[in-house]
């Protein structure tokens, strides 16, 4: 049989977007070899010998955790639109494709490492084709710009919030995650990808400034309130990595217990600008870290101290040193109160309604838990918003399991109200100029096409906005002045749908490829009420 199973030599190079070619027919190949050997022959040049990525993304199980194996099989079979990933249906049997994708979801015998030398070697500075200028090269309000992440074909679109038109579109790294973060002046935006890349992009001059790979599987990035620092939290390796604003490596901190016996993936890292520090939650370690970027931060004392003036514990410099708060359980997700004195967090491994687990309220100054809240159903606190309700500061948060928005009094730390939704959702948004907050139900197969508009004073549903059943409508964001709302039609052939924030009428659609999130520069840089961190 001529070149009997030539496709055995062609695996899943570029499973998620890297380059590859289907070889022409040649003489018969040797007897079939295992998927690992075939990977080295035909995929390592794109994705790295250790599957850590190169031209194409990393193909480790941790890097593919958001890509279901059935979808990976579909991509190998049919290819990926708008990438160089070809279809292999004609050259590989169904059994071979299933075997290859199953192998990719199997952890290697030796997990690859990524140390400081690797981080420094990965940094790339882009050369400008023309001199940069300190003002935007495009007309419009730079603070009313929307940065839109399109997950369908891994691009980013920039939308003018006044004209509601796309002014620029560019390719991004594979699987951006955690939301882009902005410099304080709104000129630069930092993206983090699932496979560890941090990208600095100049929104004024419309170009990539620099990139660096912080790890092999990354959770998210945060930018300090003064714009001087960028911190990345990793799943692999288990570290947080600090860079300066130009993505030069400053410091790597292993996310481990004080004795080093327990290591942890990072749940999330966020900037606490009023405190001049980063807050880091751990997925596997019951600790909350505060890493101060204030050069005058007080010393850190690990261990028991009877009287700090007597120097009974060996002090460490407070600048860029983790200050540990012990917890009863790890926090997978968290929310700041408006004063950044408290963190409200839950552990999703035990946070379901059946477990009866409660959210923890942690006072960052006292470094201890001060309250608990009965929030079952896996509340998605990372998308929670703070707002004023009848003179009280409250937190509203969606739930990943229950069809409710929970409203919490942040003075008494009690649950005031649970607002019903058609189904569980992921995102919630509002604006100081709007009387409403908008919630999706995207996690419900039957209700994912519905947005619920909630009156902020009565805390009752006001209206529902729908697209045809079977489609997904999610992740709203307001314009700078709060007059319009942009929502994502979360499909490959999706769109940004623009609504009037008062009349709730649809005004316009901008076609896009699975716009998974959109972020208004002004709302994010000013931490506008109703915007998540």
């Amino acid at each position: 049989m001529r070149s009997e199973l030539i496709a055995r030599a062609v695996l899943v190079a570029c499973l998620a977007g890297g380059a590859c070619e289907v070889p022409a027919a040649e003489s018969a190949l040797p007897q079939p070899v295992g998927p690992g050997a075939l990977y080295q022959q035909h995929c390592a040049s794109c994705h790295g010998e250790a599957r850590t990525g190169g031209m194409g993304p990393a193909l480790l199980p941790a890097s593919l955790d958001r890509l279901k194996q059935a979808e990976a099989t579909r991509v190998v079979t049919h290819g990926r639109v708008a990438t160089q990933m070809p279809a292999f249906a004609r050259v590989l049997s169904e059994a071979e494709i299933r075997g290859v994708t199953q192998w990719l979801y199997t952890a290697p015998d030796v997990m690859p490492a990524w140390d400081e030398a690797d981080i420094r070697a990965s940094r790339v500075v882009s050369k400008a084709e023309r001199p940069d200028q300190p003002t935007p090269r495009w007309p419009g309000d730079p603070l009313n710009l929307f940065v839109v992440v399109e997950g369908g074909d891994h691009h980013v679109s920039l939308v003018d919030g006044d004209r509601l038109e796309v002014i620029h579109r560019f390719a991004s790294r594979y699987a951006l995650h955690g939301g882009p973060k902005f410099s304080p002046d709104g000129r630069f935006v930092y993206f983090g990808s699932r496979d560890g890349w941090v990208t600095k992009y100049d929104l004024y001059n419309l170009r990539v400034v620099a990139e660096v790979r912080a790890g092999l599987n990354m959770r998210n990035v945060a930018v300090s309130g003064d714009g001087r620092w960028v911190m990345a939290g990793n799943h692999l390796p288990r570290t947080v990595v600090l860079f300066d604003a130009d993505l030069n490596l400053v410091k790597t901190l292993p996310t481990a217990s004080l004795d080093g016996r327990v290591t942890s993936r990072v749940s999330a890292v966020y900037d606490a600008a009023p405190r001049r520090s980063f807050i880091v939650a751990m997925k596997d370690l019951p600790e909350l870290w505060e890493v101060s970027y204030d050069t005058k931060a007080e010393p850190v004392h690990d261990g028991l101290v009877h009287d700090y003036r007597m120097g009974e514990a060996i002090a460490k410099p407070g600048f860029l040193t983790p200050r540990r708060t012990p917890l009863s359980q790890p926090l997978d997700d968290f929310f700041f109160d408006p004063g950044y004195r408290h963190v409200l967090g839950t552990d999703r491994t035990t946070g379901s309604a059946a477990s009866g687990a409660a959210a923890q309220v942690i006072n960052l100054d006292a470094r201890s838990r001060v309250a608990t809240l009965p929030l079952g159903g896996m509340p998605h606190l990372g998308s929670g918003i703070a707002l004023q309700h009848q003179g009280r500061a409250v937190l509203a948060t969606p739930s990943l399991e229950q069809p409710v928005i929970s409203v919490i009094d942040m003075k008494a730390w009690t649950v005031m109200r649970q607002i019903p939704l058609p189904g569980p959702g992921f995102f919630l948004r509002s604006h100081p100029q709007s009387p409403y907050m908008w919630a999706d139900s995207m996690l419900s197969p039957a209700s994912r096409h519905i947005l619920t508009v909630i009156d902020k004073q009565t805390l009752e549903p006001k209206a529902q906005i729908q697209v045809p059943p079977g489609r997904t409508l999610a992740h709203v964001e307001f314009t700078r002045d709060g007059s319009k709302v942009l929502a994502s039609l979360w499909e490959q052939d999706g769109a940004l749908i623009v609504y009037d924030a008062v009349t709730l009428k649809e005004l316009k659609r901008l076609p896009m490829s699975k716009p998974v999130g959109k972020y208004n520069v002004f709302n994010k840089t000013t931490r506008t009420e109703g915007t998540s961190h």
Side-chain angles (χ1 to χ4, degrees):
M1 183 181 297
R2 184 179 175 221
S3 189
E4 183 179 3
L5 287 171
I6 194 169
R8 295 182 188 273
V10 186
L11 284 177
V12 289
C14 315
L15 174 62
C20 60
E21 296 180 356
V22 178
E26 299 174 356
S27 59
L29 293 175
Q31 291 298 312
V33 294
L38 290 173
Y39 176 90
Q40 293 301 324
Q41 292 175 26
H42 303 283
C43 306
S45 60
C46 280
H47 298 281
E49 293 184 2
R51 296 156 58 186
T52 56
M55 288 174 54
L59 296 180
L60 296 164
S63 305
L64 300 171
D65 62 353
R66 287 298 180 94
L67 183 68
K68 294 182 179 180
Q69 193 167 326
E71 174 64 12
T73 301
R74 189 198 66 78
V75 171
V76 177
T77 303
H78 302 292
R80 185 181 286 277
V81 176
T83 73
Q84 296 180 2
M85 175 65 191
F88 287 97
R90 295 184 178 181
V91 292
L92 287 175
S93 69
E94 292 184 9
E96 289 166 337
I97 291 174
R98 286 196 302 270
V100 165
T101 54
Q102 183 178 2
W103 180 81
L104 289 176
Y105 283 79
T106 302
D109 293 335
V110 178
M111 290 301 294
W114 193 256
D115 58 22
E116 290 191 346
D118 296 313
I119 296 172
R120 290 191 175 94
S122 72
R123 182 174 178 269
V124 178
V125 177
S126 302
K127 294 183 179 179
E129 297 180 359
R130 52 186 175 178
D132 288 343
Q133 65 182 42
T135 56
R137 292 186 177 274
W138 40 271
D141 179 1
L143 293 180
N144 199 22
L145 183 73
F146 287 85
V147 174
V148 185
V149 176
E150 295 185 64
D153 59 0
H154 310 294
H155 276 70
V156 172
S157 284
L158 305 181
V159 175
D160 184 317
D162 293 316
R163 293 180 294 148
L164 298 171
E165 295 178 358
V166 176
I167 62 172
H168 188 60
R169 191 173 190 263
F170 58 93
S172 72
R173 289 281 177 177
Y174 172 74
L176 299 185
H177 184 255
K181 302 300 189 295
F182 298 93
S183 61
D185 61 1
R187 172 174 174 174
F188 300 102
V189 60
Y190 295 84
F191 301 98
S193 73
R194 279 282 183 181
D195 55 357
W197 284 96
V198 184
T199 302
K200 180 181 181 180
Y201 189 87
D202 186 342
L203 293 170
Y204 287 8
N205 292 281
L206 305 179
R207 73 178 191 91
V208 172
V209 176
E211 290 189 300
V212 68
R213 194 174 192 183
L216 302 178
N217 183 252
M218 188 167 66
R219 178 63 177 173
N220 74 321
V221 297
V223 176
S224 64
D226 58 11
R228 295 182 58 195
W229 312 100
V230 178
M231 180 169 276
N234 287 322
H235 278 195
L236 181 68
R238 298 186 171 195
T239 56
V240 286
V241 186
L242 184 70
F243 301 95
D244 66 17
D246 294 319
L247 302 185
N248 294 292
L249 177 64
V250 176
K251 190 174 186 179
T252 299
L253 298 170
T255 47
S257 58
L258 191 60
D259 60 12
R261 295 181 180 179
V262 180
T263 63
S264 178
R265 297 164 292 171
V266 174
S267 293
V269 53
Y270 293 118
D271 174 55
R275 305 179 66 85
R276 296 180 57 80
S277 63
F278 293 109
I279 306 299
V280 185
M282 307 294 175
K283 204 172 188 70
D284 313 294
L285 183 67
E287 290 184 356
L288 190 70
W289 286 11
E290 181 167 14
V291 182
S292 177
Y293 49 81
D294 185 350
T295 56
K296 299 179 180 179
E298 295 182 356
V300 172
H301 294 267
D302 287 320
L304 299 175
V305 180
H306 178 264
D307 187 335
Y308 73 93
R309 293 168 298 182
M310 299 176 65
E312 296 172 57
I314 299 175
K316 300 176 183 177
F319 178 58
L320 304 183
T321 298
R323 191 180 302 273
R324 302 166 186 260
T325 295
L327 306 172
S328 60
Q329 62 187 18
L331 299 183
D332 188 78
D333 196 13
F334 65 93
F335 174 89
F336 293 109
D337 67 354
Y340 284 78
R341 293 187 62 236
H342 296 91
V343 161
L344 177 66
T346 57
D347 174 14
R348 289 198 189 151
T349 62
T350 59
S352 66
S355 71
Q360 302 184 57
V361 182
I362 310 300
N363 185 299
L364 292 172
D365 296 324
R367 295 168 60 195
S368 64
R369 183 178 62 188
V370 295
T372 59
L373 287 169
L375 287 179
M378 292 190 180
H380 188 219
L381 294 164
S383 286
I385 61 172
L387 60 146
Q388 290 292 318
H389 173 69
Q390 298 179 358
R392 288 184 289 183
V394 301
L395 156 68
T397 181
S399 170
L400 302 181
E401 288 186 345
Q402 296 179 340
V404 297
I405 297 295
S406 297
V407 182
I408 297 160
D409 184 323
M410 288 192 287
K411 183 176 181 180
W413 293 116
T414 56
V415 178
M416 296 170 48
R417 183 80 61 86
Q418 289 198 315
I419 306 167
L421 297 177
F426 204 84
F427 298 107
L428 182 68
R429 286 290 189 276
S430 188
H431 190 278
Q433 303 304 316
S434 173
Y436 308 125
M437 49 184 169
W438 296 53
D440 63 59
S441 295
M442 66 174 296
L443 300 181
S444 167
S447 306
R448 58 193 175 100
H449 63 295
I450 301 173
L451 288 176
T452 301
V453 181
I454 300 166
D455 188 300
K456 291 194 294 189
Q457 291 307 306
T458 65
L459 300 181
E460 296 290 343
K462 168 75 174 180
Q464 288 186 343
I465 294 174
Q466 302 186 29
V467 294
R471 310 280 273 177
T472 299
L473 190 60
H475 194 281
V476 307
E477 176 67 295
F478 284 79
T479 54
R480 175 179 179 174
D481 63 2
S483 66
K484 298 176 182 64
V485 172
L486 280 64
S488 291
L489 185 59
W490 198 298
E491 312 290 344
Q492 287 291 130
D493 58 341
L496 286 191
I497 307 179
V498 183
Y499 297 97
D500 186 292
V502 177
T503 66
L504 312 184
K505 301 296 186 182
E506 180 178 332
L507 302 177
K508 190 173 185 178
R509 292 196 181 199
L510 302 177
M512 291 194 180
S513 180
K514 198 176 183 179
V516 295
K518 69 211 68 64
Y519 308 87
N520 181 270
V521 174
F522 179 83
N523 293 340
K524 295 302 260 185
T525 56
T526 61
R527 294 174 167 82
T528 299
E529 180 182 290
T531 300
S532 69
H533 53 254

